[in-house]
Every structure is written in C-alpha cells, then in structure tokens.
Amino acid sequence: MSRRKCFFGCEGKLNLFASPKEESTRQYWIQFLFAGQQPTVNWFLCSRHFSEDAFLNRAQYEAGFSARLLLRDGAVPSVKGRVKESEALANSSQQTPTTRYRHIGGQTDPLPTVSVATQFCHQMVSVGTQLSYSTLKNHVRSKAIQVSMCNTAGTEPSQQDTRLKLSSTPGKASAPSLGVRPAKRPRLELQEEEEEDEEKCSENAQPHDSTNDLDDSPSEMSEMESTCDYTDAKYIVFESCLRELFQTCPVCRWECVVQQRSLGTFVSFSQRCPNCQYSRKWQSQPIKMNTPVGNLQMSAAVYFTGASFIQMEKICKAMNLQMFHYDTFRRHARMFLEPAINHKWKTDQQKLVEHLKEKDKIAVGGDMRADSPGPTARFGSYTLMHLDSNNIIDVQLVQSNEVGGSSNMETEGLRRGLDFLEAHHLNVDYIVTDRHAQVQKYLKERNVEQYYDVWHLEKDLSQQLENLAKNKEYLVVRKWLPSIKNHIYWTATASKSGPEKVAKWKSLVNHLQNIHKHEDPLFPRCTHPDRVSRDPNKWFQPGSSALNKVEKLLLDKQILCDVEKLSHDHQISSLEAFHSITKHFTQKNDVLSFIGRLCRLYLAAMHFNENAKRDQSTSLEGKAVYRIMFPNCRTGQYITNPIQTEPTFQYVSDLMKLLFKRIFKDPTRYIEDLNKISIPEDRWTQFERPS
C-alpha cells in the first residue's frame, strides 16, 4: 500500500491533493495546517476538508464517471481535524441530496440542450476498448489493446460495466468460499518500487490534481489486471509515438493532461481532459498478481536461453530500451524461473530413467568439468551419459569446500551419480571415463568395470611425441605422428580383449622398423598388404637413438596398462560436446550461486538431450554436407566435420508454458521442491570477515 496519508490522518477511500503551486493559495494552505509553524515536506489533504463547491467534477465523480476529484483553481481547505468516512457521507447527503432514480422523459418533454461530450458518451458506452479521434469517423475493431475508458456523461454505469470491473480481479471472490487461505506471495515489483515512484509522481503532479497512483489502492490495481497471453507478438515502440495517442482528447479535441508510469519494460498512461473530464488509462502489457507479464517473460527468455542478464542490460542501455534492474531479475529467478527449470528437468529425467529400466544393463560415460582452470576451481559438475542414446542421465554439482579441495570433486561427483543410478535400480555394465587415478581407485573399490576414453590417451601421448620431434635428431618422429595416432584408435576398436590390444600396440615398434611379423601369437603379423616402400629413409634404424626414445615412450609400463583398458565400443566424445555446450550456459569464471549454476546445467542438459540425434544437413541434390576445419592441435592439417541440421528449442517453449500456466499462478509447491536441494555453505563462511 502507498505511504501517502492525509495530513489529519483520515482513513478509508481518499482522494489526496498535494499543495498548490500558486504562491498565495499555497501560503493559505500552510497557514491553515501549520498555523505559523515550520511546515513539513510531502504532505497531502484529502477531499473531506473542502467544501462541495471546491470541486470541478463532484457530480461526475459521485456518479462514477470520473476516476478522481479535481479541485478548482484557488480552492482552499475549510474543515480541520480528522473526518471519518461516515461523517463525510452524512455531510455530503445533507448538503447535496442525490436522486436514486433516473428520469427517462416523455415524448412531450422539450429537447434538452446537451453538450458534445454528453452526446458522445450516450452513444459510446463501452468498456475496455481503444478510443481515438478516428474512432468517431469509422468503427474499427481493436485487438488486445488494454484501455480503460471512463464515461463523462451524467448517467449511471450499466450492469455490464459493473460486471466487467468486478471480474478484473482473478480468484479473490472464490477463495473465501473454499475455506482455504491462499499461499502468501512475496512482495513483487509494483509494490517494492513504490517509494521511488511516489517521489517521481509528487514531482510531476499537476496543481490541484489528485495524487492517487497505480498502486494507491487495491481496487485500482485490480482494474489493471488483464488477460495474460505470453505468446502475443511484441514490438519496440518509441515513447514519443505513444504520447501522440494521448495528447488530444478524442471527444472535444482539447489538449489533455497525461501522466506516465513506467516499471522496467512496462509503461502506462493516464489521460484526462480538463474541458470535458474525459479520462482513460492504457498499459503496454498485462499485469498479473501485481507483476507486469512482460518483465517476467523478459527474465524468463534471458534465463531459459542461457543468456547473460548483464549483457542483455548493456544492449538495452545502448539503445535506451527501458529495462528493469538485476535485483528484479534475481527475484524472478528465485520465485518462478529456477523452480520451473528444476521441475522440468526432474520430470524429463524420470521419463529417461523409466525408459532405461527396460534394459538389463547400460553403458555410461562420466566426466567432470570445473568452473575455472587450475587447482583453484570452486565448482565441479560431473555428468553421466547413456552412451547408446547420447542422453544425459544425471548432472551432479560439487563445491570444493564440501570435499576438502578441488582435487576431490571428480570422485565425489562420480559417487553421487552412481548412487543416483543405484537408487533408481539401473544396472551399470561398464563406465567409460578419463584416466583420473582417484576415479580408477574408487571404481575398483566399488567393483564397477571401467574403460578409458581413447582421445585422452591419444592427446597425452601425442603431446609427448611432438615435444620429442622438436629435436633435430628426431625429425623422423614427425613423419610418423599421424600414423601413431591412427594406430591408437585402431588398436582400441579392432580388439575384443585387453591382451589383444596390448599385442597390437607393441607391434607398432616393429612396424616402425619395416618389420611386419611379430612374436606375440595374439597378433603374429600386420594386417596390411606387403608393399615396397618408395622412401626407405622414413623407417627407423635399429639401435638408433630416435628408435630408443620412441620405444621407451610407447612401451612404458603405465601406457601398456592404459592401452589394455581402452574402450573398444563407446567413447565419450559426445560428453565433451556436452561440455562445450555448457560453456554457453555457464561461462567459466562466471559469478553464479550454487542453485543458479545447477539450474543452468539442467538447461544445458535439456538442450543437449533434445538435439542429441540431429540429422546431417543435405544439399538441394540430396547430398550430405560437410565443413572443412583447421584445428589448432593439427598445426595446419584440415579435418572434415558433418554439418547437422539447425538445433531446436522446444524445451524453452515448454518452460514458458509451465511458467505461465502453472507456476506463476501458485509457485509454492515448486519452490518447496527446489528447497529440497542441499546447498553447501559458501567457502568464505569459514573465514572471519573484517569489520
């Protein structure tokens, strides 16, 4: 509620008036109220302290055709002290008794002299339609324009008008009959920013004009409540173009008094004609539960698409597009957006789990991504993927101070993920991971079969070989780098057992010397056809230092153990692709809360699962389309990647529908589900903060 009160403390439905700007009249008001004492600032008087003839539109206001009372120029107060509403009504009835019936008139009555405004209002008795001067010429239908028109003729409002006003407050009439107290909603935008708006309105108020504003009374706010269709198209409109619609009275063509109210992307105009007392209100977007729908949808669009509010705010400031503050965005996220994301992810996850239960055993891949490089990472997200369908099963977010440091986050994330699979009765056949030593130890203790991703071993081994090839004595190593890389993948995919992988890997040392028969019975000879080499200098010479260095590197004990555990069926390259997608939703070094980062990871998982099985793009002739790329790691060598079809964003539409159809009406249950997530204490809580 507004903090503006009558100077004498009157209560009830009030029309408040600020001090007049005309100096002599203002001094009379001050003398009347303060009697020579020092006056205070921002004081108001209600209509109960003025005589009946002090108002311009008393009759129209009592008949319901004017939204507020208007004081005459030079009007001064005459009643001191606190006046109760009952006393004011009694005095009003004694001074100017009102008739409780309407005179219809007969055929013999003389024709009355009626003003243009009265004739127009007898003809136009519609509520909630857009009215302009062109409306008087040709009738046009206006769609979804939110205008409230106040009639100025001396007629009573019709029953249809009354019904429209009463139905503009959703849910208030039915709640008491159910006997259930509705959930208490936190304060929202129009209420929280009221104090700032009061200062602006008091500065911009016209002399002798009522200072009632948008949120002065619940009834006035309820009149602004309108139907919410979040799928409507939106446009960018200049303020000057909007003001042109309200500068002139559509009835008498006089210049109107226009008051503007803005809140983020929301703007409203109040128009009043000083000549014929015509008035109307217009708002740029619907208001539901005291929240402008456009503001909420802007926050939802930024959050659901993984965008940054800070960047969006910079764009809006660059073009002077009105935008709400970051605090409003965070309030939307806490109350509506994050509960919606959590609910949809849990629902989609449960559907995927029920589908996987139909299988006896599943092959999964696991890997962790830290929020920042190096040992100072604060968060680590561990992801489990179903390798047959490339769908994300679970995402676990671990904070470093939970586990005693960032080096322990990967093992803890894996443990939580496997506990989730076990709790939902999903049997793991094997898991493909990187070569993390702690992960290897933990899986061995848990008796889960583990395989290594080939890319991680190839990347490590290739780096060592490239460093070796930089020496001038070992230039022959550079010629064999592509073949050695290919041999790693062939060894893993063309073998069925660990010893067979080791035998094929050891044969590489003989192959480098142009020897293609081997002593190991598991792989007695190379599978390629015998060829006569055109370049005999490409082979390693037996006993050379280059061969000794390469042999020592390839036949290292740890390398042989890792080759034996290479995955022969599935790799986790798709999991690395998911990590590249999370960069869009959660940038490294972004300052996000635990719940904020977790919800953005859920969004990344929903986006990845929706687009995991996209088809390859084709040309007009039906041929597959590829892209030529030059990766930095290949130093000038190109690769070809298939171009997939454009990604879809159905999950964003589903989140919008969930938000406005269900959560926005009553977010209590969804907030409770979100609060069930265990949030660790921040790292700085364990340190003493200076004063």
mmCIF file with all atom_site columns, all heavy atoms in Angstrom, residues 9-30:
data_model
loop_
_atom_site.group_PDB
_atom_site.id
_atom_site.type_symbol
_atom_site.label_atom_id
_atom_site.label_alt_id
_atom_site.label_comp_id
_atom_site.label_asym_id
_atom_site.label_entity_id
_atom_site.label_seq_id
_atom_site.pdbx_PDB_ins_code
_atom_site.Cartn_x
_atom_site.Cartn_y
_atom_site.Cartn_z
_atom_site.occupancy
_atom_site.B_iso_or_equiv
_atom_site.pdbx_formal_charge
_atom_site.auth_seq_id
_atom_site.auth_comp_id
_atom_site.auth_asym_id
_atom_site.auth_atom_id
_atom_site.pdbx_PDB_model_num
ATOM 1   N N   . GLY A 1 9  ? -4.791  12.457 9.126   1.00 0.00 ? 9  GLY A N   1
ATOM 2   C CA  . GLY A 1 9  ? -4.899  11.032 9.444   1.00 0.00 ? 9  GLY A CA  1
ATOM 3   C C   . GLY A 1 9  ? -6.219  10.408 9.071   1.00 0.00 ? 9  GLY A C   1
ATOM 4   O O   . GLY A 1 9  ? -6.603  9.393  9.679   1.00 0.00 ? 9  GLY A O   1
ATOM 5   N N   . CYS A 1 10 ? -6.942  10.953 8.124   1.00 0.00 ? 10 CYS A N   1
ATOM 6   C CA  . CYS A 1 10 ? -8.208  10.361 7.705   1.00 0.00 ? 10 CYS A CA  1
ATOM 7   C C   . CYS A 1 10 ? -7.953  8.999  7.053   1.00 0.00 ? 10 CYS A C   1
ATOM 8   O O   . CYS A 1 10 ? -6.927  8.780  6.407   1.00 0.00 ? 10 CYS A O   1
ATOM 9   C CB  . CYS A 1 10 ? -8.938  11.286 6.727   1.00 0.00 ? 10 CYS A CB  1
ATOM 10  S SG  . CYS A 1 10 ? -9.295  12.920 7.417   1.00 0.00 ? 10 CYS A SG  1
ATOM 11  N N   . GLU A 1 11 ? -8.927  8.095  7.217   1.00 0.00 ? 11 GLU A N   1
ATOM 12  C CA  . GLU A 1 11 ? -8.795  6.750  6.686   1.00 0.00 ? 11 GLU A CA  1
ATOM 13  C C   . GLU A 1 11 ? -9.936  6.446  5.730   1.00 0.00 ? 11 GLU A C   1
ATOM 14  O O   . GLU A 1 11 ? -10.949 7.129  5.720   1.00 0.00 ? 11 GLU A O   1
ATOM 15  C CB  . GLU A 1 11 ? -8.770  5.716  7.817   1.00 0.00 ? 11 GLU A CB  1
ATOM 16  C CG  . GLU A 1 11 ? -7.586  5.885  8.764   1.00 0.00 ? 11 GLU A CG  1
ATOM 17  C CD  . GLU A 1 11 ? -7.618  4.865  9.887   1.00 0.00 ? 11 GLU A CD  1
ATOM 18  O OE1 . GLU A 1 11 ? -8.646  4.151  10.007  1.00 0.00 ? 11 GLU A OE1 1
ATOM 19  O OE2 . GLU A 1 11 ? -6.646  4.776  10.657  1.00 0.00 ? 11 GLU A OE2 1
ATOM 20  N N   . GLY A 1 12 ? -9.761  5.364  4.967   1.00 0.00 ? 12 GLY A N   1
ATOM 21  C CA  . GLY A 1 12 ? -10.773 4.965  4.004   1.00 0.00 ? 12 GLY A CA  1
ATOM 22  C C   . GLY A 1 12 ? -10.337 5.299  2.588   1.00 0.00 ? 12 GLY A C   1
ATOM 23  O O   . GLY A 1 12 ? -9.157  5.538  2.311   1.00 0.00 ? 12 GLY A O   1
ATOM 24  N N   . LYS A 1 13 ? -11.302 5.289  1.670   1.00 0.00 ? 13 LYS A N   1
ATOM 25  C CA  . LYS A 1 13 ? -11.010 5.624  0.281   1.00 0.00 ? 13 LYS A CA  1
ATOM 26  C C   . LYS A 1 13 ? -10.866 7.132  0.155   1.00 0.00 ? 13 LYS A C   1
ATOM 27  O O   . LYS A 1 13 ? -11.825 7.882  0.356   1.00 0.00 ? 13 LYS A O   1
ATOM 28  C CB  . LYS A 1 13 ? -12.127 5.114  -0.633  1.00 0.00 ? 13 LYS A CB  1
ATOM 29  C CG  . LYS A 1 13 ? -11.819 5.322  -2.104  1.00 0.00 ? 13 LYS A CG  1
ATOM 30  C CD  . LYS A 1 13 ? -12.909 4.746  -2.981  1.00 0.00 ? 13 LYS A CD  1
ATOM 31  C CE  . LYS A 1 13 ? -12.585 4.965  -4.456  1.00 0.00 ? 13 LYS A CE  1
ATOM 32  N NZ  . LYS A 1 13 ? -13.646 4.440  -5.337  1.00 0.00 ? 13 LYS A NZ  1
ATOM 33  N N   . LEU A 1 14 ? -9.665  7.595  -0.178  1.00 0.00 ? 14 LEU A N   1
ATOM 34  C CA  . LEU A 1 14 ? -9.353  9.015  -0.151  1.00 0.00 ? 14 LEU A CA  1
ATOM 35  C C   . LEU A 1 14 ? -8.924  9.500  -1.527  1.00 0.00 ? 14 LEU A C   1
ATOM 36  O O   . LEU A 1 14 ? -8.321  8.764  -2.305  1.00 0.00 ? 14 LEU A O   1
ATOM 37  C CB  . LEU A 1 14 ? -8.225  9.291  0.850   1.00 0.00 ? 14 LEU A CB  1
ATOM 38  C CG  . LEU A 1 14 ? -8.454  8.824  2.298   1.00 0.00 ? 14 LEU A CG  1
ATOM 39  C CD1 . LEU A 1 14 ? -7.208  9.067  3.115   1.00 0.00 ? 14 LEU A CD1 1
ATOM 40  C CD2 . LEU A 1 14 ? -9.646  9.548  2.908   1.00 0.00 ? 14 LEU A CD2 1
ATOM 41  N N   . ASN A 1 15 ? -9.246  10.754 -1.792  1.00 0.00 ? 15 ASN A N   1
ATOM 42  C CA  . ASN A 1 15 ? -8.659  11.498 -2.898  1.00 0.00 ? 15 ASN A CA  1
ATOM 43  C C   . ASN A 1 15 ? -7.691  12.490 -2.278  1.00 0.00 ? 15 ASN A C   1
ATOM 44  O O   . ASN A 1 15 ? -8.107  13.450 -1.613  1.00 0.00 ? 15 ASN A O   1
ATOM 45  C CB  . ASN A 1 15 ? -9.736  12.220 -3.702  1.00 0.00 ? 15 ASN A CB  1
ATOM 46  C CG  . ASN A 1 15 ? -10.452 11.288 -4.654  1.00 0.00 ? 15 ASN A CG  1
ATOM 47  O OD1 . ASN A 1 15 ? -10.084 11.169 -5.805  1.00 0.00 ? 15 ASN A OD1 1
ATOM 48  N ND2 . ASN A 1 15 ? -11.484 10.618 -4.152  1.00 0.00 ? 15 ASN A ND2 1
ATOM 49  N N   . LEU A 1 16 ? -6.417  12.297 -2.464  1.00 0.00 ? 16 LEU A N   1
ATOM 50  C CA  . LEU A 1 16 ? -5.397  13.130 -1.847  1.00 0.00 ? 16 LEU A CA  1
ATOM 51  C C   . LEU A 1 16 ? -4.952  14.214 -2.816  1.00 0.00 ? 16 LEU A C   1
ATOM 52  O O   . LEU A 1 16 ? -4.853  13.981 -4.025  1.00 0.00 ? 16 LEU A O   1
ATOM 53  C CB  . LEU A 1 16 ? -4.206  12.272 -1.423  1.00 0.00 ? 16 LEU A CB  1
ATOM 54  C CG  . LEU A 1 16 ? -4.497  11.196 -0.369  1.00 0.00 ? 16 LEU A CG  1
ATOM 55  C CD1 . LEU A 1 16 ? -3.241  10.403 -0.071  1.00 0.00 ? 16 LEU A CD1 1
ATOM 56  C CD2 . LEU A 1 16 ? -5.051  11.810 0.900   1.00 0.00 ? 16 LEU A CD2 1
ATOM 57  N N   . PHE A 1 17 ? -4.654  15.396 -2.269  1.00 0.00 ? 17 PHE A N   1
ATOM 58  C CA  . PHE A 1 17 ? -4.238  16.532 -3.068  1.00 0.00 ? 17 PHE A CA  1
ATOM 59  C C   . PHE A 1 17 ? -2.961  17.109 -2.484  1.00 0.00 ? 17 PHE A C   1
ATOM 60  O O   . PHE A 1 17 ? -2.850  17.302 -1.270  1.00 0.00 ? 17 PHE A O   1
ATOM 61  C CB  . PHE A 1 17 ? -5.324  17.614 -3.109  1.00 0.00 ? 17 PHE A CB  1
ATOM 62  C CG  . PHE A 1 17 ? -6.648  17.116 -3.621  1.00 0.00 ? 17 PHE A CG  1
ATOM 63  C CD1 . PHE A 1 17 ? -7.639  16.695 -2.745  1.00 0.00 ? 17 PHE A CD1 1
ATOM 64  C CD2 . PHE A 1 17 ? -6.890  17.046 -4.978  1.00 0.00 ? 17 PHE A CD2 1
ATOM 65  C CE1 . PHE A 1 17 ? -8.849  16.228 -3.206  1.00 0.00 ? 17 PHE A CE1 1
ATOM 66  C CE2 . PHE A 1 17 ? -8.107  16.581 -5.449  1.00 0.00 ? 17 PHE A CE2 1
ATOM 67  C CZ  . PHE A 1 17 ? -9.082  16.166 -4.565  1.00 0.00 ? 17 PHE A CZ  1
ATOM 68  N N   . ALA A 1 18 ? -1.984  17.357 -3.371  1.00 0.00 ? 18 ALA A N   1
ATOM 69  C CA  . ALA A 1 18 ? -0.740  17.984 -2.949  1.00 0.00 ? 18 ALA A CA  1
ATOM 70  C C   . ALA A 1 18 ? -0.934  19.490 -2.848  1.00 0.00 ? 18 ALA A C   1
ATOM 71  O O   . ALA A 1 18 ? -1.947  20.048 -3.288  1.00 0.00 ? 18 ALA A O   1
ATOM 72  C CB  . ALA A 1 18 ? 0.376   17.637 -3.937  1.00 0.00 ? 18 ALA A CB  1
ATOM 73  N N   . SER A 1 19 ? 0.032   20.155 -2.265  1.00 0.00 ? 19 SER A N   1
ATOM 74  C CA  . SER A 1 19 ? -0.073  21.606 -2.103  1.00 0.00 ? 19 SER A CA  1
ATOM 75  C C   . SER A 1 19 ? -0.056  22.291 -3.460  1.00 0.00 ? 19 SER A C   1
ATOM 76  O O   . SER A 1 19 ? 0.644   21.860 -4.376  1.00 0.00 ? 19 SER A O   1
ATOM 77  C CB  . SER A 1 19 ? 1.089   22.121 -1.256  1.00 0.00 ? 19 SER A CB  1
ATOM 78  O OG  . SER A 1 19 ? 2.317   21.809 -1.877  1.00 0.00 ? 19 SER A OG  1
ATOM 79  N N   . PRO A 1 20 ? -0.816  23.349 -3.631  1.00 0.00 ? 20 PRO A N   1
ATOM 80  C CA  . PRO A 1 20 ? -0.882  24.032 -4.930  1.00 0.00 ? 20 PRO A CA  1
ATOM 81  C C   . PRO A 1 20 ? 0.418   24.778 -5.223  1.00 0.00 ? 20 PRO A C   1
ATOM 82  O O   . PRO A 1 20 ? 1.188   25.132 -4.316  1.00 0.00 ? 20 PRO A O   1
ATOM 83  C CB  . PRO A 1 20 ? -2.060  24.993 -4.769  1.00 0.00 ? 20 PRO A CB  1
ATOM 84  C CG  . PRO A 1 20 ? -2.129  25.251 -3.299  1.00 0.00 ? 20 PRO A CG  1
ATOM 85  C CD  . PRO A 1 20 ? -1.712  23.979 -2.631  1.00 0.00 ? 20 PRO A CD  1
ATOM 86  N N   . LYS A 1 21 ? 0.664   25.027 -6.498  1.00 0.00 ? 21 LYS A N   1
ATOM 87  C CA  . LYS A 1 21 ? 1.873   25.746 -6.899  1.00 0.00 ? 21 LYS A CA  1
ATOM 88  C C   . LYS A 1 21 ? 1.673   27.257 -6.874  1.00 0.00 ? 21 LYS A C   1
ATOM 89  O O   . LYS A 1 21 ? 2.650   28.002 -6.789  1.00 0.00 ? 21 LYS A O   1
ATOM 90  C CB  . LYS A 1 21 ? 2.299   25.291 -8.297  1.00 0.00 ? 21 LYS A CB  1
ATOM 91  C CG  . LYS A 1 21 ? 2.829   23.869 -8.331  1.00 0.00 ? 21 LYS A CG  1
ATOM 92  C CD  . LYS A 1 21 ? 3.416   23.535 -9.689  1.00 0.00 ? 21 LYS A CD  1
ATOM 93  C CE  . LYS A 1 21 ? 4.028   22.134 -9.689  1.00 0.00 ? 21 LYS A CE  1
ATOM 94  N NZ  . LYS A 1 21 ? 4.621   21.799 -11.008 1.00 0.00 ? 21 LYS A NZ  1
ATOM 95  N N   . GLU A 1 22 ? 0.441   27.718 -6.979  1.00 0.00 ? 22 GLU A N   1
ATOM 96  C CA  . GLU A 1 22 ? 0.178   29.161 -6.929  1.00 0.00 ? 22 GLU A CA  1
ATOM 97  C C   . GLU A 1 22 ? 0.515   29.661 -5.513  1.00 0.00 ? 22 GLU A C   1
ATOM 98  O O   . GLU A 1 22 ? 0.007   29.146 -4.521  1.00 0.00 ? 22 GLU A O   1
ATOM 99  C CB  . GLU A 1 22 ? -1.292  29.427 -7.275  1.00 0.00 ? 22 GLU A CB  1
ATOM 100 C CG  . GLU A 1 22 ? -1.562  30.846 -7.752  1.00 0.00 ? 22 GLU A CG  1
ATOM 101 C CD  . GLU A 1 22 ? -1.783  31.797 -6.582  1.00 0.00 ? 22 GLU A CD  1
ATOM 102 O OE1 . GLU A 1 22 ? -2.468  31.378 -5.629  1.00 0.00 ? 22 GLU A OE1 1
ATOM 103 O OE2 . GLU A 1 22 ? -1.269  32.927 -6.613  1.00 0.00 ? 22 GLU A OE2 1
ATOM 104 N N   . GLU A 1 23 ? 1.403   30.665 -5.403  1.00 0.00 ? 23 GLU A N   1
ATOM 105 C CA  . GLU A 1 23 ? 2.037   31.006 -4.134  1.00 0.00 ? 23 GLU A CA  1
ATOM 106 C C   . GLU A 1 23 ? 1.035   31.477 -3.091  1.00 0.00 ? 23 GLU A C   1
ATOM 107 O O   . GLU A 1 23 ? 1.087   31.068 -1.931  1.00 0.00 ? 23 GLU A O   1
ATOM 108 C CB  . GLU A 1 23 ? 3.107   32.088 -4.377  1.00 0.00 ? 23 GLU A CB  1
ATOM 109 C CG  . GLU A 1 23 ? 3.925   32.420 -3.129  1.00 0.00 ? 23 GLU A CG  1
ATOM 110 C CD  . GLU A 1 23 ? 4.675   31.205 -2.597  1.00 0.00 ? 23 GLU A CD  1
ATOM 111 O OE1 . GLU A 1 23 ? 4.995   30.302 -3.397  1.00 0.00 ? 23 GLU A OE1 1
ATOM 112 O OE2 . GLU A 1 23 ? 4.924   31.140 -1.371  1.00 0.00 ? 23 GLU A OE2 1
ATOM 113 N N   . SER A 1 24 ? 0.088   32.355 -3.446  1.00 0.00 ? 24 SER A N   1
ATOM 114 C CA  . SER A 1 24 ? -0.850  32.881 -2.445  1.00 0.00 ? 24 SER A CA  1
ATOM 115 C C   . SER A 1 24 ? -1.745  31.770 -1.900  1.00 0.00 ? 24 SER A C   1
ATOM 116 O O   . SER A 1 24 ? -1.983  31.686 -0.686  1.00 0.00 ? 24 SER A O   1
ATOM 117 C CB  . SER A 1 24 ? -1.696  33.998 -3.066  1.00 0.00 ? 24 SER A CB  1
ATOM 118 O OG  . SER A 1 24 ? -2.435  33.501 -4.177  1.00 0.00 ? 24 SER A OG  1
ATOM 119 N N   . THR A 1 25 ? -2.240  30.923 -2.786  1.00 0.00 ? 25 THR A N   1
ATOM 120 C CA  . THR A 1 25 ? -3.068  29.798 -2.341  1.00 0.00 ? 25 THR A CA  1
ATOM 121 C C   . THR A 1 25 ? -2.255  28.825 -1.486  1.00 0.00 ? 25 THR A C   1
ATOM 122 O O   . THR A 1 25 ? -2.732  28.298 -0.481  1.00 0.00 ? 25 THR A O   1
ATOM 123 C CB  . THR A 1 25 ? -3.659  29.062 -3.539  1.00 0.00 ? 25 THR A CB  1
ATOM 124 O OG1 . THR A 1 25 ? -4.302  29.990 -4.409  1.00 0.00 ? 25 THR A OG1 1
ATOM 125 C CG2 . THR A 1 25 ? -4.672  28.013 -3.095  1.00 0.00 ? 25 THR A CG2 1
ATOM 126 N N   . ARG A 1 26 ? -1.011  28.593 -1.870  1.00 0.00 ? 26 ARG A N   1
ATOM 127 C CA  . ARG A 1 26 ? -0.151  27.688 -1.105  1.00 0.00 ? 26 ARG A CA  1
ATOM 128 C C   . ARG A 1 26 ? 0.086   28.220 0.309   1.00 0.00 ? 26 ARG A C   1
ATOM 129 O O   . ARG A 1 26 ? 0.055   27.463 1.288   1.00 0.00 ? 26 ARG A O   1
ATOM 130 C CB  . ARG A 1 26 ? 1.176   27.516 -1.851  1.00 0.00 ? 26 ARG A CB  1
ATOM 131 C CG  . ARG A 1 26 ? 2.194   26.666 -1.107  1.00 0.00 ? 26 ARG A CG  1
ATOM 132 C CD  . ARG A 1 26 ? 3.494   26.584 -1.898  1.00 0.00 ? 26 ARG A CD  1
ATOM 133 N NE  . ARG A 1 26 ? 4.528   25.914 -1.136  1.00 0.00 ? 26 ARG A NE  1
ATOM 134 C CZ  . ARG A 1 26 ? 4.665   24.585 -1.060  1.00 0.00 ? 26 ARG A CZ  1
ATOM 135 N NH1 . ARG A 1 26 ? 3.824   23.811 -1.714  1.00 0.00 ? 26 ARG A NH1 1
ATOM 136 N NH2 . ARG A 1 26 ? 5.628   24.043 -0.346  1.00 0.00 ? 26 ARG A NH2 1
ATOM 137 N N   . GLN A 1 27 ? 0.332   29.532 0.429   1.00 0.00 ? 27 GLN A N   1
ATOM 138 C CA  . GLN A 1 27 ? 0.553   30.112 1.752   1.00 0.00 ? 27 GLN A CA  1
ATOM 139 C C   . GLN A 1 27 ? -0.686  29.995 2.632   1.00 0.00 ? 27 GLN A C   1
ATOM 140 O O   . GLN A 1 27 ? -0.589  29.797 3.855   1.00 0.00 ? 27 GLN A O   1
ATOM 141 C CB  . GLN A 1 27 ? 0.967   31.591 1.609   1.00 0.00 ? 27 GLN A CB  1
ATOM 142 C CG  . GLN A 1 27 ? 2.359   31.774 0.997   1.00 0.00 ? 27 GLN A CG  1
ATOM 143 C CD  . GLN A 1 27 ? 3.441   31.131 1.861   1.00 0.00 ? 27 GLN A CD  1
ATOM 144 O OE1 . GLN A 1 27 ? 3.354   31.096 3.089   1.00 0.00 ? 27 GLN A OE1 1
ATOM 145 N NE2 . GLN A 1 27 ? 4.472   30.603 1.185   1.00 0.00 ? 27 GLN A NE2 1
ATOM 146 N N   . TYR A 1 28 ? -1.892  30.121 2.038   1.00 0.00 ? 28 TYR A N   1
ATOM 147 C CA  . TYR A 1 28 ? -3.119  29.949 2.813   1.00 0.00 ? 28 TYR A CA  1
ATOM 148 C C   . TYR A 1 28 ? -3.218  28.519 3.334   1.00 0.00 ? 28 TYR A C   1
ATOM 149 O O   . TYR A 1 28 ? -3.603  28.302 4.486   1.00 0.00 ? 28 TYR A O   1
ATOM 150 C CB  . TYR A 1 28 ? -4.340  30.293 1.949   1.00 0.00 ? 28 TYR A CB  1
ATOM 151 C CG  . TYR A 1 28 ? -5.643  30.241 2.720   1.00 0.00 ? 28 TYR A CG  1
ATOM 152 C CD1 . TYR A 1 28 ? -6.143  31.381 3.363   1.00 0.00 ? 28 TYR A CD1 1
ATOM 153 C CD2 . TYR A 1 28 ? -6.377  29.051 2.814   1.00 0.00 ? 28 TYR A CD2 1
ATOM 154 C CE1 . TYR A 1 28 ? -7.327  31.325 4.079   1.00 0.00 ? 28 TYR A CE1 1
ATOM 155 C CE2 . TYR A 1 28 ? -7.549  28.983 3.533   1.00 0.00 ? 28 TYR A CE2 1
ATOM 156 C CZ  . TYR A 1 28 ? -8.033  30.136 4.163   1.00 0.00 ? 28 TYR A CZ  1
ATOM 157 O OH  . TYR A 1 28 ? -9.198  30.070 4.886   1.00 0.00 ? 28 TYR A OH  1
ATOM 158 N N   . TRP A 1 29 ? -2.887  27.536 2.494   1.00 0.00 ? 29 TRP A N   1
ATOM 159 C CA  . TRP A 1 29 ? -2.904  26.130 2.928   1.00 0.00 ? 29 TRP A CA  1
ATOM 160 C C   . TRP A 1 29 ? -1.938  25.910 4.090   1.00 0.00 ? 29 TRP A C   1
ATOM 161 O O   . TRP A 1 29 ? -2.265  25.231 5.069   1.00 0.00 ? 29 TRP A O   1
ATOM 162 C CB  . TRP A 1 29 ? -2.511  25.218 1.748   1.00 0.00 ? 29 TRP A CB  1
ATOM 163 C CG  . TRP A 1 29 ? -3.594  24.973 0.747   1.00 0.00 ? 29 TRP A CG  1
ATOM 164 C CD1 . TRP A 1 29 ? -4.483  25.881 0.259   1.00 0.00 ? 29 TRP A CD1 1
ATOM 165 C CD2 . TRP A 1 29 ? -3.876  23.737 0.095   1.00 0.00 ? 29 TRP A CD2 1
ATOM 166 N NE1 . TRP A 1 29 ? -5.305  25.311 -0.650  1.00 0.00 ? 29 TRP A NE1 1
ATOM 167 C CE2 . TRP A 1 29 ? -4.964  23.980 -0.780  1.00 0.00 ? 29 TRP A CE2 1
ATOM 168 C CE3 . TRP A 1 29 ? -3.345  22.472 0.137   1.00 0.00 ? 29 TRP A CE3 1
ATOM 169 C CZ2 . TRP A 1 29 ? -5.506  22.990 -1.585  1.00 0.00 ? 29 TRP A CZ2 1
ATOM 170 C CZ3 . TRP A 1 29 ? -3.870  21.476 -0.664  1.00 0.00 ? 29 TRP A CZ3 1
ATOM 171 C CH2 . TRP A 1 29 ? -4.944  21.723 -1.509  1.00 0.00 ? 29 TRP A CH2 1
ATOM 172 N N   . ILE A 1 30 ? -0.727  26.461 3.963   1.00 0.00 ? 30 ILE A N   1
ATOM 173 C CA  . ILE A 1 30 ? 0.276   26.274 5.023   1.00 0.00 ? 30 ILE A CA  1
ATOM 174 C C   . ILE A 1 30 ? -0.192  26.911 6.323   1.00 0.00 ? 30 ILE A C   1
ATOM 175 O O   . ILE A 1 30 ? -0.049  26.331 7.415   1.00 0.00 ? 30 ILE A O   1
ATOM 176 C CB  . ILE A 1 30 ? 1.630   26.855 4.566   1.00 0.00 ? 30 ILE A CB  1
ATOM 177 C CG1 . ILE A 1 30 ? 2.171   26.044 3.379   1.00 0.00 ? 30 ILE A CG1 1
ATOM 178 C CG2 . ILE A 1 30 ? 2.639   26.873 5.700   1.00 0.00 ? 30 ILE A CG2 1
ATOM 179 C CD1 . ILE A 1 30 ? 3.448   26.612 2.791   1.00 0.00 ? 30 ILE A CD1 1
#
